[in-house]
Amino acid sequence: MEKTNACPVSSFTIMLGGKWKLPIINTIRKTNKIRFGKLHASIPVISRKVLTDQLKELAKDGLIIRTPYSETPPRVEYSLTDAAKKLQPVLQSIDSWVRESYT
């Protein structure tokens, strides 16, 4: 993501806004490493194309690592970068807030 002088919340929203990026990061966070098929199964309402596009954007923004393996059949694993791992307290706070406010 290109850094701007915008407020931090705006920068966060630009990088992680939308419907799928935070659920993708949260799912990977819970598993440490995950293959595409399992990630898709964990978020079944997302299409494979949208998941692929979102993963490409997250990798481009330096939030996930895509590790391909030279195997047959091909295997790719996704994991979080150190920058994305720093989101863990934020995601835990969101989880707590939702549980306290809406359950």
Side-chain angles (χ1 to χ4, degrees):
M1 181 184 93
E2 183 178 316
K3 294 189 179 194
T4 66
N5 292 329
C7 88
V9 173
S10 294
S11 297
F12 176 88
T13 303
I14 290 166
M15 185 182 290
L16 292 166
K19 187 174 182 178
W20 300 114
K21 289 182 180 176
L22 286 175
I24 291 167
I25 288 173
N26 195 44
T27 301
I28 297 171
R29 174 184 71 90
K30 291 176 181 177
T31 61
N32 196 30
K33 280 193 230 177
I34 193 167
R35 291 175 68 173
F36 182 88
K38 184 157 178 139
L39 181 57
H40 184 255
S42 297
I43 312 171
V45 293
I46 190 172
S47 73
R48 294 177 75 84
K49 180 187 181 330
V50 170
L51 178 57
T52 298
D53 292 344
Q54 296 293 285
L55 288 168
K56 285 179 184 176
E57 287 181 24
L58 288 166
K60 183 183 96 193
D61 287 338
L63 293 170
I64 63 165
I65 300 166
R66 181 184 187 274
T67 307
Y69 294 89
S70 298
E71 299 176 350
T72 303
R75 174 172 62 115
V76 176
E77 289 182 339
Y78 296 92
S79 58
L80 299 180
T81 63
D82 288 340
K85 288 177 183 175
K86 291 178 183 176
L87 287 169
Q88 184 157 336
V90 174
L91 294 170
Q92 289 173 331
S93 292
I94 291 169
D95 184 57
S96 295
W97 178 77
V98 170
R99 290 178 193 275
E100 291 170 11
S101 300
Y102 296 100
T103 56

